[in-house]
C-alpha cells in the first residue's frame, strides 16, 4: 500500500525509521514518512497514533531515540532546537489556537514576520514598506483585514485559527505543519479553512493532521494513516477508507 | 497591555513621552520632584511652611531608589512574566559595591585608624585587604562593579535557569533560594563584608561629606535622574519590537519559540538589564541611608518589591513607580504610628490587590476614566437624540 520510497533530494521532509518512547511507551515506532516538495498531505489516525509526537519530532520539541529527520533534502533536524528549525522554514500550527492574546492582530502578524530574530536587532527594528505590504497581503489571505486593530484575544475561535495560519504564512516557511485546524469550527468555517489551506498549498508544502473526514475530503489530499506510532496505510482518501486494516483500527477490534 | 503599538511616523521622543498619558504624567512629576524638593530643602528657611526638612528629603530619596527597584521588577515580571522573588539580592549587591567604595574612603579616620583596612577587618585581626576589595578605593571602578556584579550574577542565574526552561513558580522559588543563600553567606564574618553589621560609618563620597545638606540634595537629584533615565530606557524597550516579543513570550512562550524566537536569549537580556537597574538602585540607596547589611538579602524584602509592583499595576512601568511610593509611604507611616500592624497590613494589601485589583491602582484609574468617558459619551448621545426629537416635533 505504501508508496515506494522517494529519492531524498525530491523530499521536503524525510522521516526515516524514527522511534520515540516515553517511559517505555512507544509513541513512534520505526515511523517512515516522506513528504515531497510542494505536496499537500493529510495525516489521520486514532488517538495516540503518534500524530502530535511526529510533529514534535519534526519541529525540535522532542528528540527521537533513533532515526533520521531530514529537511529539504539535506538538513538534519534531530539536533536542532525549535527556534532554529522555525528559522529554517518550518512553521507549525498548534491544535489549540495559540496566538498572542494581549496584542493586536496586526502585532501578531508583525511578530511572525520573517527576518532577523536577534535580541539586539529587535531593539531597533522598523517595518519597511515592503514588509507592510506583505502583512496586508496575508490579511487578505486569511480574511481578517477588518480586525487588524482588535486584540487577538477578542477574536472568535475560528478567527484565531486563521490568525495562527496567517502567522505561519508571515514566517514564509517552506513547510507548514498544521495540527487539527478545524477542531471546534462551524461548517462554514471548516469549508473556508479547506479553501485557505488549498490555496496555501499551491506555493508551500503542507502537512495537515486532522480527524474530520469531510474536511480531509475537501482538501483532496494524499492521505497517510498512522497507527500505534507507524504508518498503517497511504493513498487517496477512498483507498484508505476501504482498506481492511484501517477499518479494523477505526471501528475497533 | 495594548498601548504599545507606536505609529510608525512617530519620533523617538513622541514614542517615549507623549504616546501614553501615564508616562507623560510620570515624567512631569519626576522632573518636578527632582528640581523642587531639593530646592525647597536648601533654599527655604527651616521655619518656612514650604520647607522640606532633611528627614523628608532622605525619605523621598530612599523612595526614589525603591521606585527604580520596582521598575526593574516590573520590566521582567510585567512584560516578560519572570516573577523574581530574589531581586533584593541584586539591589543589595549594588549597595555593597557602593558601600565598599565608601568604606575605603574612610581611610585612617576609622576607630582603629588603619589607613588600609576597614574597622571590621582590624577587629577580625586581618593583616591585609582581601583581593576582592582591590580597586574599590577608585570611584569609577566601584561604579562599574555596581553594574557588573549584579549583571554577572543575573547572567549566571539566568543562563542556567532559562536554558533549562525553568519558568513560573519554580523560577520564583530558586530566585528566592538565591537571595537566601547570599544572605547566609554575607552574614559570615569571614566573607569579608562586615558580617551581620555590614558596612557602615561612611564619611564621604567623592570627597563630599555625607552629612552635608548639599551632598544629600545631590544624592537625591542623582536618584531622581537615575529613575528618569531608567524609566525612559524601559519605555524605549517596551515600545520597541523587543517589547512585543517579551509580551509574546509572556503570553504564549511556545508560539514565540515556534515562530523562531530564541526565548531564552530574550529572557536573559531583560533579566540582566533588570538586575543592573536594581544594582544601581542599591548603590544610590546606601549612601542615603548610611548602611548596608545582609538583612537587605532577606527573601521578605524581595517579596515586598513584588507587592509594590502589584499594588501600582503590573506591566505599566509607571504603576511600579507609583506602587513603590504608595506602599513605602504607608510603611513609613504605619511603622511609626502602629508598628505591630504593618506586616498584617502588607499581607492584607497583597491579598486585596490580587483579588480585587488585578491591574493595580493604574488599572483601576484607567478603568474609571474609561467608564467616565463612556458615560459622558452616552449622555451626549442622549442629549443629541432628544434635540433631534424636539426638532422633529416642530
Amino acid at each position: 500500500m505504501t508508496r515506494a520510497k522517494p529519492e531524498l533530494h525530491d523530499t521536503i521532509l524525510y522521516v526515516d525509521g524514527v522511534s520515540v518512547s516515553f517511559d517505555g511507551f512507544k509513541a513512534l515506532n520505526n515511523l517512515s514518512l516522506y513528504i515531497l516538495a510542494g505536496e499537500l498531505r493529510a495525516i489521520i489516525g486514532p488517538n495516540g497514533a503518534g500524530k502530535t509526537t511526529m510533529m514534535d519530532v519534526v519541529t525540535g520539541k522532542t528528540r527521537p531515540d533513533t532515526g533520521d529527520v531530514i529537511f529539504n533534502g539535506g538538513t538534519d533536524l534531530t539536533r536542532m532546537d525549535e527556534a532554529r528549525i522555525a528559522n529554517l522554514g518550518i512553521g507549525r500550527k498548534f491544535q489549540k489556537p495559540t496566538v498572542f492574546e494581549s496584542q493586536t492582530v496586526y502585532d501578531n502578524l508583525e511578530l511572525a514576520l520573517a527576518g532577523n530574530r536577534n535580541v539586539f536587532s529587535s531593539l531597533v527594528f522598523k517595518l519597511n514598506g515592503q514588509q507592510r505590504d506583505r502583512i496586508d497581503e496575508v490579511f487578505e489571505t486569511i480574511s481578517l483585514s477588518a480586525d487588524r486593530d482588535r486584540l487577538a484575544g477578542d477574536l472568535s475561535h475560528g478567527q484565531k485559527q486563521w490568525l495562527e495560519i496567517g502567522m505561519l504564512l508571515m514566517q514564509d516557511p517552506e513547510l507548514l505543519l498544521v495540527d487539527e485546524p478545524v477542531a471546534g469550527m462551524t461548517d462554514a468555517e471548516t469549508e473556508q479553512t479547506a479553501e485557505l489551506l488549498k490555496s496555501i498549498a499551491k506555493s508551500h508544502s503542507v502537512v495537515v493532521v486532522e480527524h474530520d473526514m469531510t474536511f480531509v475530503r475537501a482538501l483532496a489530499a494524499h492521505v497517510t494513516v498512522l497507527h500505534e506510532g507507524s504508518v498503517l496505510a497511504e493513498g487517496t482518501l477512498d483507498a484508505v477508507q476501504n482498506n481492511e486494516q484501517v477499518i479494523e483500527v477505526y471501528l475497533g477490534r | 497591555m495594548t498601548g504599545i503599538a507606536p505609529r510608525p511616523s512617530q519620533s523617538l521622543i513622541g514614542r517615549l513621552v507623549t504616546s501614553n498619558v501615564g508616562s507623560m504624567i510620570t515624567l512631569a512629576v519626576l522632573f518636578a520632584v527632582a528640581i523642587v524638593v531639593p530646592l525647597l530643602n536648601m533654599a527655604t528657611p527651616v521655619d518656612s511652611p514650604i520647607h522640606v526638612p532633611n528627614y523628608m528629603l532622605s525619605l523621598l530619596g530612599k523612595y526614589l531608589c525603591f521606585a527604580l527597584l520596582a521598575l526593574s521588577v516590573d520590566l521582567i515580571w510585567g512584560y516578560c512574566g519572570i516573577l523574581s522573588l530574589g531581586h533584593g539580592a541584586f539591589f543589595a549587591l549594588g549597595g555593597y559595591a557602593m558601600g565598599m567604595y565608601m568604606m575605603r574612603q574612610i581611610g585612617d579616620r576609622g576607630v582603629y585608624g588603619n589607613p588600609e583596612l576597614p574597622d571590621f577587618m582590624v577587629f577580625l585581626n586581618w593583616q591585609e585587604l582581601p583581593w576582592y576589595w582591590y580597586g574599590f578605593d577608585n570611584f569609577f571602578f566601584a561604579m562599574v562593579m555596581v553594574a557588573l556584579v549584579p549583571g554577572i550574577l543575573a547572567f549566571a542565574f539566568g543562563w542556567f535557569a532559562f536554558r533549562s526552561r525553568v519558568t513560573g513558580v519554580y523560577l520564583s522559588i530558586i530566585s528566592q533560594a538565591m537571595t537566601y543563600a547570599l544572605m547566609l553567606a554575607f552574614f559570615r564574618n569571614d566573607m569579608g563584608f562586615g558580617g551581620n553589621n555590614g558596612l557602615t560609618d561612611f564619611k564621604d563620597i567623592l570627597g563630599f561629606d555625607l552629612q552635608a545638606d548639599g551632598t544629600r540634595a545631590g544624592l537625591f537629584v542623582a536618584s531622581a535622574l537615575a529613575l528618569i533615565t531608567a524609566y525612559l530606557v524601559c519605555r524605549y524597550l517596551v515600545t520597541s519590537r523587543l517589547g512585543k516579543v517579551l509580551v509574546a513570550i509572556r503570553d504564549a512562550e511556545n508560539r514565540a519559540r515556534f515562530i523562531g524566537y530564541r526565548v531564552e536569549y530574550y529572557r536573559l537580556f531583560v533579566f540582566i538589564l533588570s538586575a543592573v537597574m536594581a544594582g544601581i538602585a542599591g548603590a544610590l540607596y546606601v549612601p542615603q541611608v548610611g548602611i548596608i547589611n545582609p538583612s537587605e538579602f532577606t527573601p521578605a524584602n524581595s517579596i515586598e518589591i513584588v507587592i509594590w509592583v502589584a499594588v501600582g499595576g503590573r506591566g505599566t512601568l509607571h504603576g511600579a513607580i507609583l506602587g513603590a511610593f504608595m506602599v513605602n509611604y504607608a510603611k513609613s507611616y504605619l511603622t511609626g504610628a502602629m508598628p505591630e500592624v504593618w506586616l498584617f497590613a502588607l499581607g492584607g494589601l497583597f491579598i486585596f490587590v490580587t483579588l480585587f485589583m488585578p491591574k493595580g491602582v493604574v488599572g483601576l484609574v484607567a478603568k474609571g476614566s474609561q467608564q467616565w468617558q463612556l458615560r459622558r459619551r452616552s449622555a451626549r448621545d442622549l442629549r443629541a437624540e432628544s434635540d433631534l426629537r424636539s426638532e422633529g416635533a416642530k
Side-chain angles (χ1 to χ4, degrees):
Chain A
M1 195 69 206
T2 308
R3 285 186 302 184
K5 185 168 164 176
E7 291 291 324
L8 179 60
H9 59 78
D10 293 333
T11 61
I12 183 85
L13 184 66
Y14 182 93
V15 178
D16 198 51
V18 167
S19 294
V20 175
S21 47
F22 300 116
D23 299 323
F25 170 71
K26 281 219 158 195
L28 294 183
N29 188 6
N30 197 20
L31 173 73
S32 296
L33 185 70
Y34 315 101
I35 313 293
L36 298 176
E39 190 179 349
L40 170 61
R41 174 76 65 94
I43 294 182
I44 61 174
N47 283 329
K51 301 176 304 259
T52 301
T53 309
M54 183 274 295
M55 290 211 176
D56 285 347
V57 167
V58 173
T59 52
K61 200 174 177 211
T62 303
R63 297 224 184 290
D65 301 333
T66 54
D68 294 322
V69 183
I70 293 167
F71 176 60
N72 223 351
T75 317
D76 179 15
L77 298 181
T78 55
R79 295 270 159 264
M80 295 181 181
D81 69 358
E82 298 96 325
R84 180 103 186 265
I85 292 174
N87 289 322
L88 274 177
I90 298 182
R92 173 176 186 180
K93 203 201 103 34
F94 298 106
Q95 190 172 340
K96 185 173 164 282
T98 315
V99 294
F100 305 127
E101 308 230 338
S102 66
Q103 286 168 295
T104 62
V105 174
Y106 194 90
D107 282 345
N108 268 266
L109 286 191
E110 191 198 313
L111 277 165
L113 181 76
N116 196 335
R117 296 282 196 249
N118 188 305
V119 176
F120 295 101
S121 60
S122 75
L123 270 174
V124 293
F125 176 82
K126 261 198 154 128
L127 272 181
N128 63 31
Q130 206 180 350
Q131 290 166 325
R132 226 167 280 144
D133 291 345
R134 172 80 189 127
I135 294 178
D136 291 340
E137 203 179 294
V138 169
F139 265 124
E140 286 302 315
T141 315
I142 58 172
S143 340
L144 285 177
S145 299
D147 302 292
R148 52 172 64 207
D149 291 325
R150 288 176 69 193
L151 289 186
D154 294 341
L155 296 178
S156 73
H157 177 83
Q159 287 175 317
K160 280 184 197 168
Q161 300 272 34
W162 293 331
L163 174 57
E164 202 180 353
I165 293 172
M167 288 164 76
L168 293 199
L169 292 177
M170 290 307 303
Q171 275 177 260
D172 201 17
E174 289 178 65
L175 172 65
L176 286 90
L177 303 176
V178 188
D179 201 352
E180 299 200 21
V182 297
M185 277 191 177
T186 62
D187 287 349
E189 284 173 332
T190 301
E191 219 167 283
Q192 234 175 316
T193 307
E195 288 310 311
L196 174 60
L197 283 176
K198 273 202 283 193
S199 78
I200 291 170
K202 280 177 198 151
S203 47
H204 302 79
S205 311
V206 182
V207 175
V208 186
V209 165
E210 191 47 73
H211 279 299
D212 185 330
M213 287 305 156
T214 2
F215 176 71
V216 174
R217 188 169 296 284
L219 282 182
H222 196 76
V223 177
T224 298
V225 186
L226 292 193
H227 178 56
E228 291 180 348
S230 45
V231 174
L232 183 70
E234 232 170 49
T236 64
L237 184 61
D238 287 324
V240 298
Q241 275 186 326
N242 293 322
N243 181 305
E244 289 293 320
Q245 276 176 297
V246 174
I247 292 168
E248 197 180 322
V249 163
Y250 264 93
L251 298 180
R253 284 150 283 196
Chain B
M1 266 308 77
T2 58
I4 53 173
R7 291 283 153 265
S9 59
Q10 248 174 10
S11 70
L12 184 63
I13 294 182
R15 187 174 124 192
L16 296 185
V17 181
T18 57
S19 61
N20 178 307
V21 183
S23 79
M24 266 162 74
I25 298 173
T26 309
L27 284 168
V29 170
L30 286 180
F31 270 113
V33 165
I35 296 165
V36 173
V37 172
L39 215 65
L40 291 182
N41 173 252
M42 302 275 292
T44 58
V46 177
D47 51 3
S48 154
I50 54 165
H51 177 72
V52 173
N54 284 346
Y55 84 88
M56 183 59 91
L57 183 79
S58 31
L59 196 66
L60 287 173
K62 239 170 72 173
Y63 291 174
L64 287 171
C65 300
F66 289 151
L68 179 53
L69 179 57
L71 192 65
S72 77
V73 168
D74 193 28
L75 181 66
I76 54 167
W77 184 37
Y79 289 90
C80 201
I82 305 169
L83 175 55
S84 165
L85 293 181
H87 239 53
F90 302 119
F91 180 80
L93 287 173
Y96 265 99
M98 179 59 113
M100 285 162 83
Y101 162 73
M102 290 189 298
M103 278 314 255
R104 299 286 282 124
Q105 289 304 100
I106 296 172
D108 60 4
R109 289 172 292 170
V111 177
Y112 297 107
N114 189 315
E116 254 325 279
L117 298 186
D119 277 350
F120 73 90
M121 290 187 193
V122 180
F123 186 75
L124 290 173
N125 260 328
W126 289 16
Q127 296 309 318
E128 56 187 44
L129 204 65
W131 62 267
Y132 47 84
W133 276 74
Y134 291 169
F136 275 95
D137 51 336
N138 179 306
F139 181 75
F140 181 73
F141 177 82
M143 290 310 101
V144 171
M145 288 299 144
V146 160
L148 206 61
V149 173
I152 289 176
L153 177 66
F155 175 79
F157 180 89
W159 178 260
F160 290 110
F162 300 141
R163 260 171 57 100
S164 322
R165 302 194 183 171
V166 177
T167 52
V169 58
Y170 302 100
L171 187 100
S172 304
I173 290 169
I174 58 169
S175 67
Q176 186 148 86
M178 174 192 76
T179 193
Y180 192 70
L182 282 168
M183 179 185 75
L184 295 181
F186 274 73
F187 262 127
R188 291 157 47 95
N189 277 329
D190 49 8
M191 272 286 280
F193 297 106
N196 59 349
N197 294 320
L199 310 176
T200 186
D201 292 332
F202 308 129
K203 305 280 191 246
D204 45 29
I205 180 168
L206 284 172
F208 297 104
D209 181 4
L210 279 170
Q211 302 305 319
D213 288 352
T215 316
R216 216 172 278 141
L219 285 166
F220 181 91
V221 173
S223 307
L225 290 180
L227 179 59
I228 290 169
T229 312
Y231 181 74
L232 287 172
V233 169
C234 289
R235 280 289 301 166
Y236 177 82
L237 280 186
V238 304
T239 53
S240 72
R241 185 181 212 197
L242 182 119
K244 290 179 190 175
V245 177
L246 294 182
V247 173
I249 291 171
R250 180 192 74 190
D251 292 346
E253 178 184 342
N254 267 330
R255 180 75 276 158
R257 238 183 247 290
F258 283 106
I259 53 179
Y261 290 102
R262 278 260 150 66
V263 168
E264 50 274 22
Y265 293 172
Y266 281 85
R267 286 209 171 112
L268 197 58
F269 174 78
V270 278
F271 194 65
I272 293 171
L273 183 74
S274 160
V276 170
M277 278 166 57
I280 294 171
L284 287 162
Y285 173 79
V286 169
Q288 297 186 76
V289 296
I291 184 167
I292 173 79
N293 64 33
S295 69
E296 292 298 336
F297 285 108
T298 46
N301 268 19
S302 297
I303 293 171
E304 226 175 279
I305 311 167
V306 171
I307 299 178
W308 306 340
V309 177
V311 168
R314 176 188 166 199
T316 57
L317 297 182
H318 47 271
I321 296 174
L322 184 70
F325 272 89
M326 281 174 31
V327 178
N328 280 296
Y329 180 75
K331 183 180 185 175
S332 302
Y333 174 76
L334 273 181
T335 47
M338 300 173 270
E340 65 286 347
V341 177
W342 165 241
L343 280 179
F344 292 103
L346 186 70
L349 184 67
F350 192 46
I351 295 171
F352 180 82
V353 166
T354 315
L355 287 179
F356 301 109
M357 294 163 45
K359 288 179 179 169
V361 174
V362 167
L364 210 64
V365 171
K367 202 172 155 192
S369 81
Q370 213 175 16
Q371 272 170 356
W372 183 72
Q373 273 175 353
L374 227 73
R375 207 168 311 148
R376 218 173 51 152
R377 197 174 308 152
S378 61
R380 203 174 46 211
D381 288 352
L382 262 173
R383 225 173 354 205
E385 206 175 306
S386 70
D387 284 355
L388 218 68
R389 220 175 298 142
S390 58
E391 208 134 294
K394 278 182 204 165

